[in-house]
């Protein structure tokens, strides 16, 4: 079935490619062309930036430390921002009408001044360290100029909204006394503000820029090299070979290929262009309307930033902000990412069923039995191979000791050569043929086997992170080095194994792809580097003014202390800011202001919310904002390919994505979705199965279609089933209360019997400094075991008893009790102690019985209608 929509305003493939390149370049890499003289300087600086980042991430500086001085974090952050600011002024024109080939003299001057201000911190680091908090006039002038040029670089590379938000925070820093009473503060002098924002690591040169220079750059570069090597096209073709023949197959393949490309691209817009030029025309061919075809690609591409192991840049900031390892970030992100993509595939399936769409014709028809056998053989093969690698390398490490990395290197080299030798039996996939129209589906076997070597650097990356426990930067370095080797050698090796003569030509092409990848990776980092630096202004404003503490009271006031309303408010802020901010900046702004608020107010509501859950919540909605109308740039790229209306495409994509928007709310209340509190493999499998089924039922309910079109009561039943599978504890707690209420007089005996590192939950009441009566739940960590009085004292809490009331006598400064929000003379009204419950998973049984009834009713209705 083909779409009957007229193809109005058709443009040629070359014009479309130029239009898409313009969209990507204006957002991600800068719109200036590298073929001009100025462009060559731009390319050279970008290349040097990539080589610099590879050098500082490698172990090599430590080997030559006697000849070349080591750079500390101050030097690295300063140089990183210097490169980013220089390229921002050269790569991004000042105005839309500015030349794309020539760089005006004024831009060169601006670039040099901005870079000088950034490098000032590195060049005069020792002098600045000798006068902390006491800047001289020269320091203040450089700081002021640097901030101004950083704001201008922000306007060029990230747009006006980000610049305006940073300026609003700076205005608050200087003129806080004129703000509304609830957030007013005395204001800072120019001297204090510049010392904090530019001359210390509390502002611009803070955590965000440190993570950008230490982790993010290498991962972005790794993804850029994978794409230049042809991995993006390989993933797309594999997805089509596997799924293209199913009902609505091209749309399902678009979702899967976007998910796989999301592993190597942190940009939703680039992801749309990489896969969309190939997938959207095919979706239209099997019957999808233009807007829906573009919307499927938009929804799939934006979620790519959530897909481990590379993810979006904001994921690396969680390492510092939450204080966990990158491996833990991957673990927490994995299940929501997989569930969201399964939901998108299912939404596409339901759309195809409603419209009675078909898939593309496969080259070879296989039986269901052969598909099942092949699937299980692949799974068994992967398990066996993983076991051999894991235990084999473990044995080598035990026997060879320090020589094991060299042995591993030789093994990887031999495996790579073997995979290249194996791949020449099958036709090559061109590196950049996404725009070529697909006439028929590629064969699954040959397509998969033609690019298995692309998986090798991803396997090495995961190995370094999970088994070797390298830092993210070092793991990315070794994976990047393997990628450099692959991109340089894959072409000449294939020519050699095929006994062809043009080895030198292919080797030069490989080197060109390598250089292009290094330049492309650096240009992709311009906006991220500027975003993390500008977000440092916002973070610095929060730490300097203390507005973060005020935000708790402000949000509590407007939400009435209701946690659900607070989460909705936070999600709305993410979507609103996302209309003008990139995901990284959006995440930094909202997580800095709102994450502590949600944790604090959650505790007051008796709910322990892990900090990672809040940050994942903000990250998810920051990603979702990329297709939020009317400014979703990913939708503009998709609509250009689909020849559809960009606003309607964005709205449709948003409706697809928002159906998975229930996930962040649910993992706040059910931390098992983030793999927190998983006790064993069986528990993990049950959690995954129930979460996937719950998301499918939620998608079916919101689509109004399951086996057939749903009736209203079936939709309500599916929503109830989905909620129960996602959060069985909601109903189970009504039957078996999770906490036992104890009188405050039992506090010493209760604390003494509590296990080590547990938390005490109390209902407290008292007046704050303004005389307002506060009544809330607090959660206080108890540390090691011991006598009740002693454990409370170690937590910073001393009590006294008056007329059968248990009152707070002393709260030690900076103790667990103070951090929990307890104050002097407050009364402890009650204690809430967790009790053992039967497994909450018993609630799955009535949910599955209700599901069976819905399936029975709908299947019977379909049988009657046919």
């Amino acid at each position: 079935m083909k779409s009957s929509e007229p193809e109005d305003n058709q443009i040629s493939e070359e014009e479309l490619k130029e239009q898409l390149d313009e969209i990507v370049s204006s957002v991600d890499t800068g719109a200036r062309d590298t073929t001009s003289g100025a462009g060559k300087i731009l390319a050279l600086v970008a290349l040097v930036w990539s080589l610099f980042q590879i050098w500082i991430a490698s172990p090599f500086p430590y080997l030559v430390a006697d000849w070349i001085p080591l750079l500390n974090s101050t030097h690295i952050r300063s140089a990183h921002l210097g490169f980013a600011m220089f390229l921002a002024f050269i790569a991004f024109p000042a105005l839309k009408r500015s030349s794309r080939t020539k760089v005006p003299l004024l831009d060169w001057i601006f670039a040099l001044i901005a870079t000088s201000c950034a490098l000032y911190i590195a060049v005069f680091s020792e002098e600045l360290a000798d006068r902390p908090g006491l800047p001289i006039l020269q320091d203040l002038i450089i700081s002021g100029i640097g901030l101004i040029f950083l704001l201008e670089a922000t306007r060029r590379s990230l747009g006006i909204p980000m610049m305006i938000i940073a300026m609003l925070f700076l205005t608050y820093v200087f003129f806080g006394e004129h703000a509304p009473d609830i957030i007013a503060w005395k204001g800072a002098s120019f001297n204090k503000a510049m010392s904090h924002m530019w001359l210390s690591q509390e502002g611009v040169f803070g955590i965000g820029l440190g993570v950008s220079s230490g982790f993010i750059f290498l991962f972005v570069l790794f993804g850029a090299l994978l794409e230049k090597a042809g991995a993006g096209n390989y993933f797309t073709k594999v997805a089509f070979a596997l799924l293209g023949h199913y009902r609505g197959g091209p749309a399902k393949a678009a979702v899967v290929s976007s998910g796989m490309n999301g592993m190597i691209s942190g940009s939703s817009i680039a992801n749309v262009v990489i896969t969309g030029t190939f997938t959207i025309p095919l979706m239209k061919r099997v019957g999808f309307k233009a807007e829906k075809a573009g919307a499927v690609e938009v929804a799939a591409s934006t979620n790519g930033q959530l897909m481990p192991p590379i993810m979006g840049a904001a994921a690396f900031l969680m390492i510092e902000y939450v204080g966990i390892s990158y491996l833990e970030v991957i673990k927490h992100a994995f299940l929501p990412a997989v569930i969201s993509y399964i939901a998108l595939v299912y939404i596409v399936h339901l759309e195809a069923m409603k419209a009675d769409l078909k898939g593309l014709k496969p080259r070879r028809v296989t039986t269901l039995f052969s598909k099942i056998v092949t699937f299980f053989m692949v799974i068994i093969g992967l398990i066996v191979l993983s076991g051999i690698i894991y235990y084999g390398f473990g044995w080598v490490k035990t026997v060879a000791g320090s020589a094991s990395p060299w042995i591993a290197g030789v093994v990887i080299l031999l495996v790579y050569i073997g995979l290249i030798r194996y791949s020449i039996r099958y036709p090559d996939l061109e590196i950049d043929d996404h725009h070529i129209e697909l006439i028929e589906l590629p064969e699954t076997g040959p397509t998969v086997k033609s690019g298995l070597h692309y998986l090798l650097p991803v396997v090495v990356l995961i190995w370094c992170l999970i088994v070797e426990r390298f830092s993210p930067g070092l793991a990315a370095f070794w994976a990047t080095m393997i990628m450099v080797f692959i991109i340089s050698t894959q072409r000449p090796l294939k020519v050699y194994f095929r006994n062809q003569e043009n080895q030198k030509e292919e080797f030069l092409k490989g080197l060109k792809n390598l250089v292009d990848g290094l330049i492309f990776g650096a240009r992709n980092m311009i906006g991220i580097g500027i975003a993390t630096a500008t977000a440092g202004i916002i973070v610095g404003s929060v730490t300097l003014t203390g507005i973060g503490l005020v935000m708790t009271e402000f949000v509590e006031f407007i939400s009435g202390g209701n946690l659900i309303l607070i989460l909705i408010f936070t999600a709305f802020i993410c979507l609103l800011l996302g209309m003008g901010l990139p995901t990284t900046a959006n995440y930094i702004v909202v997580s800095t202001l709102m994450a502590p608020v949600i944790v604090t107010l959650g505790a007051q509501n008796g709910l322990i919310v892990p900090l990672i859950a809040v940050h994942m919540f903000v990250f998810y909605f920051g990603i979702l904002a990329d297709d939020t109308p009317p400014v979703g740039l990913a939708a503009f790229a998709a609509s250009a390919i689909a020849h559809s209306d960009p606003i309607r495409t964005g709205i449709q994509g948003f409706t697809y994505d928002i159906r998975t928007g229930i996930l962040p709310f649910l993992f706040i209340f059910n931390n098992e979705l983030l793999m927190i509190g998983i006790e064993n493999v069986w528990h993990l499998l049950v959690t995954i199965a129930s979460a996937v089924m719950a998301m499918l039922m939620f998608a079916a309910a919101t689509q109004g279609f399951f086996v057939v079109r749903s009736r209203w009561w079936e939709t309500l039943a599916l929503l109830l089933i989905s909620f129960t599978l996602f959060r069985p504890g909601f109903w189970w707690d009504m039957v078996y209360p999770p906490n036992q209420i104890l009188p405050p007089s039992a506090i010493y005996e209760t604390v003494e019997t509590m296990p080590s590192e547990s938390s005490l939950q109390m209902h407290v009441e008292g007046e704050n400094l303004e005389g307002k009566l506060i009544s809330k739940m607090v959660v206080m960590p108890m540390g090691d075991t011991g006598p009740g009085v002693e454990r409370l004292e170690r937590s910073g809490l001393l009590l006294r008893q008056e007329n059968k009331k248990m009152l707070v006598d002393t709260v030690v400064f900076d103790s667990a009790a103070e951090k929990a929000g307890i104050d002097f003379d407050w009364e402890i009204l009650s204690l809430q102690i967790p009790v053992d419950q039967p497994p909450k998973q018993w609630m799955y049984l009535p949910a599955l019985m209700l599901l069976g009834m819905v399936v029975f009713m709908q299947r019977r209705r379909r049988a009657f209608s046919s």
Side-chain angles (χ1 to χ4, degrees):
M1 177 177 176
K2 296 186 179 182
S3 174
S4 59
E5 285 193 3
E7 299 288 339
D8 297 329
N9 303 319
Q10 290 288 345
I11 58 176
S12 68
E13 286 186 2
E14 279 299 318
E15 290 173 327
L16 175 61
K17 194 172 186 302
E18 289 179 9
Q19 187 177 347
L20 294 174
D21 288 342
E22 174 68 19
I23 293 173
V24 174
S25 64
S26 63
V27 177
D28 286 342
T29 62
R32 289 245 164 83
D33 185 13
T34 56
T35 57
S36 63
K40 291 177 182 177
I41 297 176
L42 166 62
L44 178 62
V45 174
L47 178 63
V48 172
W49 190 14
S50 286
L51 295 175
F52 169 76
Q53 293 287 162
I54 291 174
W55 171 259
I56 62 174
S58 72
F60 304 136
Y62 299 95
L63 302 177
V64 295
D66 294 336
W67 299 279
I68 302 176
L70 287 172
L71 299 178
N72 59 30
S73 63
T74 300
H75 298 133
I76 292 172
R77 294 179 188 186
S78 176
H80 185 79
L81 181 59
F83 276 114
M85 291 180 74
F86 182 89
L87 291 173
F89 282 100
I90 303 305
F92 290 88
L95 302 169
K96 287 185 177 181
R97 62 176 181 271
S98 301
S99 173
R100 296 297 190 265
T101 56
K102 297 180 180 178
V103 181
L105 177 61
L106 194 60
D107 281 0
W108 287 110
I109 295 173
F110 284 175
L112 292 173
I113 294 175
T115 305
S116 300
C117 292
L119 294 178
Y120 181 83
I121 307 300
V123 175
F124 295 96
S125 58
E126 293 184 6
E127 290 86 343
L128 291 170
D130 291 336
R131 51 175 187 267
L134 298 171
I136 61 176
L137 180 61
Q138 174 180 302
D139 298 338
L140 296 176
I141 292 174
I142 294 295
S143 301
I145 295 173
L147 275 178
I148 292 171
F149 278 94
L150 175 59
L151 291 172
E152 170 58 14
T154 302
R155 183 192 70 81
R156 292 188 182 209
S157 58
L158 302 173
I160 293 177
M162 183 66 182
M163 182 190 73
I164 291 176
I165 291 173
M167 290 179 66
L168 285 175
F169 275 88
L170 280 176
T171 303
Y172 177 69
V173 166
F174 290 113
F175 307 106
E177 69 271 17
H178 302 299
D181 291 341
I182 192 170
I183 60 171
W185 86 298
K186 63 180 181 179
S189 65
F190 185 77
N191 185 318
K192 185 176 182 179
M194 292 304 104
S195 295
H196 193 82
M197 293 292 180
W198 197 267
L199 302 177
S200 74
Q201 292 192 353
E202 296 292 328
V204 170
F205 296 92
I207 291 175
L209 197 63
V211 174
S212 179
S213 59
F215 305 153
I216 298 176
F217 193 104
L218 264 294
F219 279 86
V220 170
L221 180 61
F222 175 65
L225 291 174
L226 266 173
E227 172 58 28
K228 288 296 180 182
N233 189 36
Y234 170 70
F235 291 150
T236 302
K237 296 291 176 61
V238 167
F240 267 87
L242 292 171
L243 299 170
H245 60 283
Y246 289 108
R247 186 188 291 268
K252 293 174 182 175
V255 173
V256 174
S257 64
S258 293
M260 290 191 290
N261 275 289
M263 292 192 297
I264 65 174
S265 170
S267 168
S268 56
I269 301 164
N271 204 352
V272 167
V273 172
I274 290 169
T275 60
T277 50
F278 186 74
T279 61
I280 291 174
L282 289 173
M283 283 188 266
K284 293 174 68 177
R285 183 191 298 176
V286 298
F288 277 87
K289 293 183 179 179
E291 281 78 13
K292 290 192 174 183
V296 168
E297 183 59 53
V298 169
S301 295
T302 52
N303 274 308
Q305 295 181 63
L306 194 65
M307 181 61 70
I310 297 179
M311 307 176 68
F316 299 93
L317 295 166
M318 289 187 204
I319 299 171
E320 299 295 330
Y321 286 166
V322 185
I324 60 177
S325 69
Y326 183 57
L327 185 59
E328 289 179 281
V329 172
I330 291 176
K331 182 185 77 172
H332 297 316
F334 176 76
L335 193 50
V338 171
I339 292 173
S340 65
Y341 270 101
I342 290 174
L344 283 172
V345 170
Y346 189 59
I347 288 170
V348 165
H349 176 71
L350 294 176
E351 288 278 16
M353 287 182 65
K354 285 194 290 186
D356 194 26
L357 305 181
K358 308 298 180 185
L360 296 173
K361 185 178 179 180
R363 288 195 182 186
R364 184 182 301 170
V365 179
T366 54
T367 64
L368 178 62
F369 177 75
S370 65
K371 291 178 181 178
I372 294 174
V373 170
T374 303
F375 175 78
F376 280 105
M377 288 297 292
V378 170
I379 296 298
I380 293 170
L382 288 174
I383 293 173
V384 171
L385 182 62
S386 300
I388 293 172
I389 293 173
Y390 184 84
Y391 292 106
F393 269 105
W395 177 79
V396 169
K397 288 179 69 175
T398 303
V399 174
S402 59
S404 58
W406 297 100
I407 297 173
V410 172
V411 171
I412 291 170
L413 177 62
L414 293 176
V415 170
Y416 167 64
I417 294 174
L419 290 174
I420 290 289
R421 180 72 180 82
Y422 183 63
S423 70
I424 64 168
R425 303 178 187 179
Y426 309 101
D428 284 339
L429 298 177
E430 290 298 322
I431 289 175
D432 187 22
D433 67 349
H434 303 291
H435 61 284
I436 298 176
E437 186 177 10
L438 188 68
I439 305 301
E440 57 182 353
L441 285 178
E443 286 190 64
T444 304
T447 304
V448 172
K449 295 169 186 175
S450 67
L452 289 173
H453 59 284
Y454 291 130
L455 302 178
L456 195 58
V458 179
V459 170
V460 170
L461 174 65
I462 296 173
W463 175 272
C464 290
L465 288 170
I466 295 177
V467 179
E468 299 293 343
R469 299 290 178 135
F470 288 165
S471 68
L474 186 58
F477 166 76
W478 287 116
T480 301
M481 288 296 96
I482 292 174
M483 200 59 245
V484 167
F485 182 75
I486 289 175
I487 200 173
S488 304
T489 60
Q490 63 174 346
R491 283 178 175 273
L493 278 176
K494 286 184 178 182
V495 169
Y496 172 77
F497 286 130
R498 286 171 175 155
N499 295 319
Q500 296 174 344
E501 300 295 330
N502 55 336
Q503 291 181 33
K504 181 178 179 182
E505 179 184 344
E506 292 300 311
F507 179 70
L508 292 176
K509 285 182 179 179
L511 288 182
K512 182 180 184 304
N513 286 335
L514 172 61
V515 173
D516 288 345
L518 293 171
I519 295 171
F520 185 67
R523 293 189 67 167
N524 275 339
M525 272 300 301
I526 299 172
I528 296 174
I530 297 296
T532 51
T534 308
I537 296 175
I538 297 162
V539 175
S541 301
V542 171
T543 56
L544 179 61
T545 63
I547 191 175
L549 300 175
V550 179
M551 282 298 294
T552 303
E553 294 184 9
F554 176 69
V555 173
E556 184 180 13
F557 170 75
I558 63 174
S559 66
N562 186 294
L563 185 59
I564 291 292
L565 291 179
I566 294 167
L567 292 172
I568 292 173
F569 178 67
T570 304
F572 177 76
I573 290 176
C574 288
L575 295 176
L576 185 65
L577 291 178
M579 293 183 186
L581 302 189
T583 303
T584 307
N586 191 349
Y587 165 76
I588 293 174
V589 174
V590 182
S591 64
T592 301
L593 292 175
M594 298 303 299
V597 177
I598 295 174
V599 172
T600 301
L601 296 183
Q604 293 179 16
N605 284 268
L607 180 68
I608 302 175
V609 182
L611 189 58
I612 181 62
V614 182
H615 281 260
M616 286 296 297
F617 181 94
V618 173
F619 182 33
Y620 195 99
F621 277 102
I623 292 169
L624 199 62
D626 273 359
D627 61 10
T628 305
V631 196
L633 294 175
F636 281 84
S639 66
I641 303 169
H643 307 293
S644 62
D645 180 82
I647 300 299
R648 287 165 61 186
T649 302
I651 292 172
Q652 185 66 59
F654 183 73
T655 60
Y656 288 151
D657 255 347
I658 203 64
R659 289 183 175 118
T660 63
I662 188 177
L663 263 178
F665 288 93
L666 289 167
F667 58 58
I668 291 288
F669 296 97
N670 183 6
N671 302 149
E672 291 176 355
L673 295 174
L674 297 177
M675 296 193 189
I676 297 173
I678 301 294
E679 298 172 356
N680 49 52
V681 175
W682 173 248
H683 189 184
L684 174 63
L685 294 176
V686 170
T687 300
I688 293 174
S690 60
V692 170
M693 185 175 291
M695 181 51 73
L696 297 183
M697 295 306 101
F698 183 76
T702 54
Q703 286 284 94
F705 196 98
F706 189 27
V707 179
V708 293
R709 193 168 298 279
S710 300
R711 292 172 178 168
W712 67 269
W713 67 267
E714 291 171 333
T715 297
L716 292 179
L718 290 173
L719 288 174
L720 180 61
I721 294 165
S722 175
F723 180 77
T724 303
L725 293 175
F726 267 129
R727 197 183 169 197
F730 180 83
W731 309 110
W732 204 237
D733 290 348
M734 295 180 182
V735 182
Y736 296 96
N739 295 315
Q740 180 185 3
I741 308 298
L742 297 178
S745 57
I747 188 170
Y748 295 120
E749 296 82 358
T750 302
V751 169
E752 188 167 339
T753 59
M754 291 175 66
S756 178
E757 303 301 328
S758 56
S759 297
L760 178 64
Q761 191 167 303
M762 299 178 288
H763 185 192
V764 297
E765 186 177 85
E767 291 185 354
N768 61 12
L769 294 176
E770 288 79 29
K772 179 183 176 183
L773 183 66
I774 304 294
S775 180
K776 63 181 181 179
M777 298 296 300
V778 296
V779 179
M780 186 172 71
M782 295 311 304
D784 296 331
T785 57
V789 175
E790 183 182 324
R791 291 187 78 180
L792 287 171
E793 288 180 355
R794 287 202 304 263
S795 298
L797 187 65
L798 281 74
L799 305 175
R800 71 177 189 274
Q801 194 165 358
E802 293 182 2
N803 299 327
K804 297 184 179 181
K805 291 183 177 182
M806 192 64 70
L807 302 175
V808 177
D809 190 52
T810 303
V811 178
V812 178
F813 175 73
D814 201 34
S815 65
E818 187 193 46
K819 292 176 182 176
I822 303 173
D823 213 338
F824 298 98
D825 290 327
W826 282 18
E827 181 183 358
I828 300 176
L829 299 178
S830 65
L831 312 175
Q832 292 195 8
I833 308 302
V835 296
D836 290 333
Q837 292 177 294
K840 61 186 178 182
Q841 284 77 14
W842 283 109
M843 286 304 304
Y844 293 159
L845 292 179
L848 293 176
M849 291 171 63
L850 181 58
L851 175 60
M853 186 176 71
V854 173
V855 171
F856 174 76
M857 297 292 291
Q858 292 210 358
R859 286 177 68 90
R860 189 173 67 170
R861 202 156 66 244
R862 185 177 66 177
F864 286 155
S865 64
S866 60

